[in-house]
Amino acid sequence: MANSTLHGICPEPFYQESLFPSTGGFIGGRYCQTVPLGDERLSCCLPCPLTEWTYDDQLLSQTKVASWLGVAILPLCIFLLVSYAVLPVKYTHRHYLSICFTLGICFMEIAFIIPLGVKSEQCHNAITPNDMYTDVSCAFTGALLLFGGWIVVVWSFIRTVAFHLQVCWEVIIGKKFMWGSFICGWGIPALCLTLMLIYTGVSYRFGNVCHINIKNSTSDYWAPVMAFAAASLLLHVATLGYCIHVYIRSLFDSSDSTTNSSGLPSYTGSVRTMTARQAYRRIRRVLQLQWRGISLVLIIIGNVIFFAVVFIDMNNELSLTPENMEKATPWLACLMETKGEKNRCLDQADAVRPNKATLLAVLILLSLVGFWNFILFARPSMFMGWVDFFKNGFGGGGPRRHEFVSVDARNKRLPDTRTYEMLTSSGISKTPEPLVRSPSPARTAGTLSPVGGHNHYGREARYVRPSMSFSGPRPPGSSQGQGRDWDPQATFARGQSPEYHHRQNLSR
């Protein structure tokens, strides 16, 4: 059936909806309006895709910028993952929080790269866009983009919780927190993605990457994502407030944290009873180790808030509500009068479309998340590690340059192994045990010291022989020339048999 016949009795450039099947593609993505024509009311629809009528012809080529940015940034993320897997931890300072976060970014970048290799059709027919059920590329790009976004947001929240526990509550992050992070960091995105694809789905809305549909998108995607972002932001504000509080206290803390009034080292302080100055030094140490993660989380929170505001506003503007259709009437009337010359009606289209610059900013910022991740976590020591890796014959069999170097010299050349991204201790050494003196022999024997410097003594000292002792007290000279004066049967000494004495007599 030719396109001229599909217009029906609707004015150009609209198509008569009743001439198209009610299945196939994303039916909810049609942009149709009921138009009174004589005694009848017909539903007339704009041709697909909608963005070709609301924006100029350059939009499609400009949206490909995000795809090419993904091509450039994905190798950077792969470089980080390979470095984490191959190089020693002293070069990479790897941590499962950084690894999982980078994996989530890879999913997002792959979603932007797929359309460059797969030339998919955005429309199922003249008025219906394709969705995840009618186009495989749409299913993969939409699922990967949303799943990667969920992973990035959830792991940002987990990193924020870990930072808050370490700074404010002095909790040491251990294996329980790690396994809980794995369960939540991968389970929540997988569960939410499943629910979102079932109840909302994805389709072509603008560009060559599928995005979440309007129906139920606020309740099953944007609201939960915003909840995690808001919780992360509140935790960061609380942690920052605590750091400021500790810093102000340290300014007015005149106590010495290392010595007491006697000038000797003091070990009475502990993790729970540290001074304000000690707490400030500990927090400063944590900030020095984790400022990269803090900066990246703040960038993610800002992006998520911006994306949510833009998409929710776009959903509200493109929803087929009576209010929106009333605002779109001048634009639709212009298209009917000009018979589809969209460039003459772009001014009227401003009332029904999101701003073009804002739309492109969303796509570019989504692609740049991997760039910020690389800038913050690609440490100079990684490149030193790769140089050492290739010089040593791919990590094995090569000469060990620092094998016979002193510890002091080695520490000047290699990175400090204590500067890992996440602290494994609170930074305060164990409090030494109080000095315990063993009781003196005089006290255990029951003797008393002289009183007043005179030769007055208490009761006579008595020696009590332990049960496992093989010796006993004897006066001086008792062992000289008097032979043996002890009975072997009274001790643990081994006696000699009669056969032994008989052999001795025969030998004589």
Side-chain angles (χ1 to χ4, degrees):
M1 187 179 294
N3 287 340
S4 59
T5 60
L6 293 178
H7 289 291
I9 59 176
C10 292
E12 293 185 6
F14 298 93
Y15 291 104
Q16 186 174 335
E17 186 178 14
S18 60
L19 300 179
F20 292 87
S22 59
T23 59
F26 181 52
I27 304 300
R30 296 175 177 177
Y31 195 85
C32 304
Q33 184 180 19
T34 302
V35 180
L37 295 175
D39 296 335
E40 299 181 1
R41 296 182 64 87
L42 295 177
S43 178
C44 299
C45 305
L46 268 178
C48 176
L50 179 62
T51 53
E52 288 189 358
W53 296 92
T54 54
Y55 297 97
D56 54 35
D57 297 331
Q58 299 177 354
L59 177 66
L60 183 60
S61 60
Q62 290 172 344
T63 55
K64 291 183 179 180
V65 174
S67 298
W68 289 110
L69 284 175
V71 172
I73 294 174
L74 181 62
L76 302 181
C77 297
I78 295 176
F79 171 80
L80 290 178
L81 293 176
V82 174
S83 300
Y84 291 148
V86 175
L87 299 180
V89 68
K90 65 181 180 181
Y91 293 116
T92 61
H93 307 275
R94 62 175 175 262
H95 196 272
Y96 60 89
L97 294 178
S98 302
I99 296 174
C100 295
F101 190 92
T102 306
L103 287 174
I105 295 176
C106 289
F107 288 127
M108 298 173 61
E109 302 298 343
I110 293 174
F112 285 105
I113 295 175
I114 289 177
L116 295 177
V118 179
K119 304 299 182 182
S120 58
E121 291 291 336
Q122 296 188 32
C123 299
H124 185 71
N125 53 42
I127 63 173
T128 310
N130 272 317
D131 61 0
M132 60 183 184
Y133 298 106
T134 57
D135 188 79
V136 177
S137 175
C138 177
F140 275 97
T141 56
L144 288 174
L145 181 62
L146 297 176
F147 184 62
W150 259 116
I151 292 176
V152 168
V153 172
V154 173
W155 281 99
S156 297
F157 174 75
I158 294 174
R159 182 186 290 274
T160 304
V161 172
F163 176 65
H164 179 78
L165 292 176
Q166 287 181 324
V167 172
C168 299
W169 303 99
E170 302 167 11
V171 175
I172 299 176
I173 304 303
K175 289 187 177 181
K176 292 183 179 179
F177 185 87
M178 180 186 69
W179 289 113
S181 300
F182 284 143
I183 294 173
C184 296
W186 293 99
I188 292 177
L191 177 62
C192 293
L193 177 67
T194 303
L195 296 176
M196 184 205 62
L197 293 178
I198 293 175
Y199 293 104
T200 301
V202 294
S203 64
Y204 287 106
R205 299 183 60 184
F206 57 90
N208 293 323
V209 178
C210 279
H211 299 274
I212 188 171
N213 296 325
I214 296 177
K215 182 181 178 181
N216 299 327
S217 62
T218 302
S219 59
D220 60 18
Y221 187 76
W222 294 114
V225 166
M226 285 291 293
F228 276 98
S232 300
L233 182 60
L234 291 177
L235 279 178
H236 264 297
V237 171
T239 307
L240 180 61
Y242 176 77
C243 294
I244 295 174
H245 169 71
V246 172
Y247 174 72
I248 294 176
R249 285 184 56 193
S250 66
L251 295 179
F252 298 96
D253 184 19
S254 59
S255 61
D256 194 347
S257 60
T258 58
T259 59
N260 53 23
S261 58
S262 63
L264 297 176
S266 175
Y267 301 105
T268 58
S270 64
V271 176
R272 301 298 179 187
T273 61
M274 64 177 63
T275 64
R277 191 168 299 177
Q278 288 175 323
Y280 169 69
R281 284 198 294 265
R282 180 183 61 82
I283 293 175
R284 184 177 61 182
R285 175 66 172 169
V286 175
L287 291 174
Q288 289 174 349
L289 296 179
Q290 301 191 39
W291 67 268
R292 293 177 176 86
I294 298 170
S295 302
L296 187 59
V297 168
L298 292 177
I299 292 174
I300 295 301
I301 293 174
N303 287 346
V304 168
I305 295 175
F306 177 69
F307 299 156
V309 171
V310 172
F311 273 94
I312 292 175
D313 182 66
M314 182 174 63
N315 292 341
N316 294 333
E317 291 182 354
L318 296 179
S319 298
L320 299 179
T321 60
E323 294 80 8
N324 289 337
M325 297 310 298
E326 183 178 357
K327 292 191 299 183
T329 300
W331 171 58
L332 297 176
C334 177
L335 290 176
M336 287 187 290
E337 292 176 0
T338 60
K339 294 185 178 181
E341 295 184 11
K342 66 173 185 178
N343 292 328
R344 296 172 56 182
C345 304
L346 291 179
D347 294 336
Q348 290 82 357
D350 291 337
V352 297
R353 69 180 184 186
N355 183 268
K356 177 182 176 181
T358 304
L359 199 63
L360 293 175
V362 168
L363 298 178
I364 293 175
L365 288 177
L366 278 172
S367 300
L368 288 179
V369 172
F371 172 76
W372 296 118
N373 182 62
F374 178 80
I375 291 296
L376 292 173
F377 287 98
R379 304 167 183 259
S381 59
M382 282 188 179
F383 302 97
M384 296 171 53
W386 280 111
V387 172
D388 188 70
F389 178 79
F390 287 110
K391 283 186 176 181
N392 290 339
F394 297 94
R400 295 180 176 269
R401 293 180 299 169
H402 309 302
E403 185 174 0
F404 300 103
V405 181
S406 65
V407 176
D408 296 335
R410 185 186 298 123
N411 289 339
K412 294 180 180 179
R413 302 185 63 178
L414 296 180
D416 187 3
T417 56
R418 296 172 298 174
T419 57
Y420 294 150
E421 182 184 348
M422 302 297 294
L423 292 179
T424 57
S425 64
S426 59
I428 299 178
S429 59
K430 183 180 182 298
T431 304
E433 300 293 339
L435 181 61
V436 179
R437 296 182 178 179
S438 59
S440 62
R443 181 171 296 276
T444 56
T447 60
L448 298 177
S449 59
V451 180
H454 303 284
N455 294 331
H456 299 286
Y457 292 84
R459 59 186 177 87
E460 182 181 359
R462 298 181 58 188
Y463 176 77
V464 180
R465 182 175 60 186
S467 59
M468 296 298 293
S469 176
F470 307 122
S471 63
R474 54 180 177 267
S478 61
S479 61
Q480 299 177 0
Q482 297 182 3
R484 185 175 64 188
D485 58 351
W486 52 273
D487 185 6
Q489 295 181 356
T491 65
F492 289 88
R494 181 178 178 181
Q496 296 172 345
S497 62
E499 290 80 6
Y500 174 81
H501 293 286
H502 179 67
R503 288 195 299 269
Q504 291 292 330
N505 293 330
L506 292 178
S507 63
R508 292 176 183 175

mmCIF file of all heavy atoms in Angstrom, residues 121 240 333 368 425:
data_model
loop_
_atom_site.group_PDB
_atom_site.id
_atom_site.type_symbol
_atom_site.label_atom_id
_atom_site.label_comp_id
_atom_site.label_asym_id
_atom_site.label_seq_id
_atom_site.Cartn_x
_atom_site.Cartn_y
_atom_site.Cartn_z
ATOM 1 N N GLU A 121 16.420 0.092 12.026
ATOM 2 C CA GLU A 121 15.334 0.996 11.663
ATOM 3 C C GLU A 121 14.635 1.477 12.934
ATOM 4 O O GLU A 121 14.260 0.677 13.787
ATOM 5 C CB GLU A 121 14.327 0.292 10.757
ATOM 6 C CG GLU A 121 14.858 -0.037 9.375
ATOM 7 C CD GLU A 121 15.085 1.222 8.541
ATOM 8 O OE1 GLU A 121 14.434 2.251 8.832
ATOM 9 O OE2 GLU A 121 15.905 1.166 7.610
ATOM 10 N N LEU A 240 30.416 15.340 55.386
ATOM 11 C CA LEU A 240 31.131 16.608 55.278
ATOM 12 C C LEU A 240 30.904 17.472 56.513
ATOM 13 O O LEU A 240 31.833 18.118 57.016
ATOM 14 C CB LEU A 240 30.675 17.349 54.023
ATOM 15 C CG LEU A 240 31.327 18.714 53.758
ATOM 16 C CD1 LEU A 240 32.832 18.566 53.584
ATOM 17 C CD2 LEU A 240 30.707 19.373 52.533
ATOM 18 N N ALA A 333 -1.347 22.770 13.432
ATOM 19 C CA ALA A 333 -2.046 23.542 12.400
ATOM 20 C C ALA A 333 -1.075 24.089 11.369
ATOM 21 O O ALA A 333 -1.368 24.125 10.161
ATOM 22 C CB ALA A 333 -2.832 24.677 13.051
ATOM 23 N N LEU A 368 30.388 10.645 28.922
ATOM 24 C CA LEU A 368 31.591 11.144 29.585
ATOM 25 C C LEU A 368 31.794 10.582 30.984
ATOM 26 O O LEU A 368 32.807 10.889 31.621
ATOM 27 C CB LEU A 368 31.551 12.675 29.659
ATOM 28 C CG LEU A 368 31.760 13.415 28.336
ATOM 29 C CD1 LEU A 368 31.660 14.914 28.555
ATOM 30 C CD2 LEU A 368 33.108 13.059 27.721
ATOM 31 N N SER A 425 42.085 -0.330 58.202
ATOM 32 C CA SER A 425 42.167 -0.109 59.639
ATOM 33 C C SER A 425 41.876 1.339 59.901
ATOM 34 O O SER A 425 41.799 2.161 59.018
ATOM 35 C CB SER A 425 43.549 -0.489 60.183
ATOM 36 O OG SER A 425 44.528 0.347 59.626
#
